[in-house]
Amino acid sequence: MPESSRRASVAIVGASGYAGGEFLRLALGHPALHVVQVTSERHAGSPVEYVHPNLRGVSDLRFTALADLDGADVIVAALPHGVLAGMVDQVAGLAPVIVDLSSDFRVRDADRYARHYGGAHPRPDLLGAFRYANPELYGAGLPGATRLAGAGCIATATILALAPLVAAGVLARSEVIVEAKIGSSAAGSEPSRASHHAERAGAVRTYAPTRHRHSAELEEHLPGLNVHMTATAIERVRGILVTAHCFVPDGTSERDVGAALREAYADEPFVRLVTARRGVHRVPDPRVLDGTNFCDIGFELDHDSGRLVMMSAIDNLVKGTAGHALQALNIALGHDERTGLGFLGLHP
């Protein structure tokens, strides 16, 4: 484990995709991390700015092939689903700390994994060996961790909205309906002309009408709830807005719901409660979260029906992927969890 008093060397595997590129952006601005290598099979030999023009003039790194991966204090794997699981022993021999941004080690139960991912896990012996990188729920177990599994982006937004209600016991029913509106980058990890063309064309499509693999995480981390999820891609590249429809017992007030949220997140620097009841900013809005590690949570209660609508917004590439992984890595390495994650967003 690298000492917190020196900069830890970081290698990012699969750094040409959305997730890897976002972790690279954050790590390059981190005072305690030093990125020493980035890999990409397609772009080996090219400078990082060839794929990530926002990094022009910031770094002189060039992509290398995975076969040329050297050792580092931390290896961040931003590979497609299923790839790291097939080579995890090789990677583990090159770094004492591994951060996985894919879905390979998010789920602890092999049967649940097989049910949601359509097949048996290639390394069931390692399920549970990685700490789930949701710092708001599991921060106490992250110091000293050497294996971190980044949580799913839709799962992160949903869990952060609903977990305090489960803990406080303010829900009357186990059934919850979740509609997740997602940007194109949440539906794939590699930048493509097609995704940007779809945004320009204003395309809207249903990405997962009834089954989404992030449901595995909801089962595991929202015990007692039966969450029915639909994910719809909208005309943005970044951003997720989760709307969760729940029911509360008669007599439940907004004060009760607010108290549950405040108790859960009073000391959490990256969860913000949206409480305004007037004006144009009464609900969480992903547009003001681009590039940030915040999760904004709001709600509205219909007293006549007992229906509670929870709303949760994040940037799926930061709080939903690279940001919460870096937040968890900060805790694991002994740094303030806010380090390198101070960007406050833009408006308008």
Side-chain angles (χ1 to χ4, degrees), residues 152-242:
C153 53
I154 301 175
T156 294
T158 304
I159 290 169
L160 290 178
L162 297 177
L165 309 182
V166 174
V170 299
L171 297 181
R173 305 179 190 175
S174 63
E175 303 292 321
V176 176
I177 303 293
V178 167
E179 164 66 26
K181 296 178 177 62
I182 64 175
S184 59
S185 61
S189 60
E190 184 72 18
S192 69
R193 292 181 180 178
S195 64
H196 292 286
H197 174 76
E199 183 194 21
R200 289 196 303 269
V204 178
R205 63 188 178 88
T206 301
Y207 174 58
T210 59
R211 293 182 178 271
H212 194 287
R213 63 191 187 190
H214 288 191
S215 297
E217 296 164 69
L218 304 186
E219 288 182 8
E220 206 155 84
H221 302 287
L222 295 173
L225 291 190
N226 187 11
V227 180
H228 307 277
M229 180 192 295
T230 295
T232 302
I234 60 172
E235 62 276 16
R236 299 198 82 234
V237 173
R238 290 176 182 260
I240 290 177
L241 175 62
V242 161

